[in-house]
Amino acid sequence: GDSVTQMEGPVTLSEEAFLTINCTYTATGYPSLFWYVQYPGEGLQLLLKATKADDKGSNKGFEATYRKETTSFHLEKGSVQVSDSAVYFCALGGFGNEKLTFGTGTRLTIIP
Amino acid sequence: DGGITQSPKYLFRKEGQNVTLSCEQNLNHDAMYWYRQDPGQGLRLIYYSQIVNDFQKGDIAEGYSVSREKKESFPLTVTSAQKNPTAFYLCASRPSGGPTVAQYFGPGTRLTVL
């Protein structure tokens, strides 16, 4: 079945550092890929998505590229801020499937 | 404002009692979902519904029940049969349109069973 593997956390970075959170997937067909962010005590917010190979999703300075050859969708940001501290979830929407498959989440803490 | 509301934000119940969590959306979305989140873990799907008066079990449906009598409402009942009900519960919805369409989440309800 479909699965998503995310980089183990927690991740701690200094402000203005470069961020990468790794995400790889296993799926049949051509899934869509999503990154969600969860701030403490809140629900998940859609951060970005990509629906086909080589698509790049971007939002709020975050980017992720759908790499079919490496089955990856790594999240990147060039210069993180304290306000980026949150838990980040990678998710997969399988072809012909109304459900999402989530990774376990990566907790990110940015220190000033 | 369009969105998904969950109430209450915090809920306390005694062991052995059933409890119903509310989820309402005014986005005119066809599909709705319930997830459970435990500390340090990802989301696990409890139930989902793609259309009124129809719903399917997710990965951890035992001890839970749902109804979908109206398009905008998808309440979740946590029954006394659920062994470890203390968790953060998230409701989500999405419009129809296949796997390219994202799910949108409510703010969640934190249930504590004493």
Side-chain angles (χ1 to χ4, degrees):
Chain A
D2 297 346
S3 68
V4 174
T5 302
Q6 260 185 260
M7 178 175 174
E8 290 276 336
V11 173
T12 303
L13 295 172
S14 296
E15 203 165 22
E16 299 183 2
F18 184 86
L19 168 70
T20 300
I21 300 178
N22 290 338
C23 172
T24 57
Y25 68 89
T26 302
T28 55
Y30 303 95
S32 294
L33 299 169
F34 306 87
W35 276 103
Y36 284 87
V37 58
Q38 185 180 33
Y39 298 102
E42 298 184 8
L44 276 67
Q45 299 177 25
L46 177 66
L47 184 58
L48 52 83
K49 72 176 189 179
T51 59
K52 60 182 187 295
D54 300 323
D55 262 3
K56 178 185 282 188
S58 62
N59 187 24
K60 299 180 182 178
F62 291 90
E63 293 183 340
T65 301
Y66 188 157
R67 301 284 188 203
K68 189 164 173 56
E69 64 275 15
T70 55
T71 62
S72 65
F73 192 53
H74 304 322
L75 183 68
E76 297 181 334
K77 187 175 185 183
S79 176
V80 292
Q81 306 300 314
V82 171
S83 58
D84 294 326
S85 298
V87 180
Y88 292 82
F89 290 93
C90 185
L92 176 155
F95 184 78
N97 192 340
E98 290 291 320
K99 300 183 288 184
L100 288 180
T101 301
F102 285 88
T104 53
T106 302
R107 181 175 298 278
L108 173 66
T109 301
I110 308 301
I111 52 177
Chain B
D1 284 340
I4 302 170
T5 56
Q6 292 186 246
S7 60
K9 189 168 179 63
Y10 300 95
L11 191 53
F12 297 88
R13 280 295 182 269
K14 291 183 179 179
E15 196 170 342
Q17 290 181 334
N18 292 355
V19 60
T20 298
L21 281 59
S22 167
C23 177
E24 304 277 332
Q25 55 99 359
N26 61 4
L27 301 166
N28 200 33
H29 286 176
D30 293 309
M32 296 186 74
Y33 304 80
W34 274 106
Y35 294 91
R36 170 181 172 137
Q37 187 178 27
D38 293 286
Q41 296 190 31
L43 278 68
R44 293 186 287 171
L45 182 64
I46 304 172
Y47 270 98
Y48 65 105
S49 167
Q50 297 181 61
I51 195 169
V52 173
N53 292 324
D54 188 38
F55 46 82
Q56 289 78 41
K57 292 182 179 180
D59 302 317
I60 56 164
E62 186 175 350
Y64 299 97
S65 66
V66 293
S67 62
R68 186 87 187 275
E69 297 177 1
K70 299 185 296 182
K71 187 175 184 178
E72 58 270 24
S73 179
F74 191 41
L76 173 74
T77 296
V78 184
T79 75
S80 56
Q82 168 50 232
K83 296 279 189 282
N84 297 296
T86 294
F88 190 49
Y89 290 87
L90 288 159
C91 179
S93 69
R94 58 172 277 184
S96 57
T100 63
V101 179
Q103 291 182 18
Y104 296 88
F105 285 79
T109 290
R110 187 167 299 280
L111 173 65
T112 302
V113 175
L114 306 171

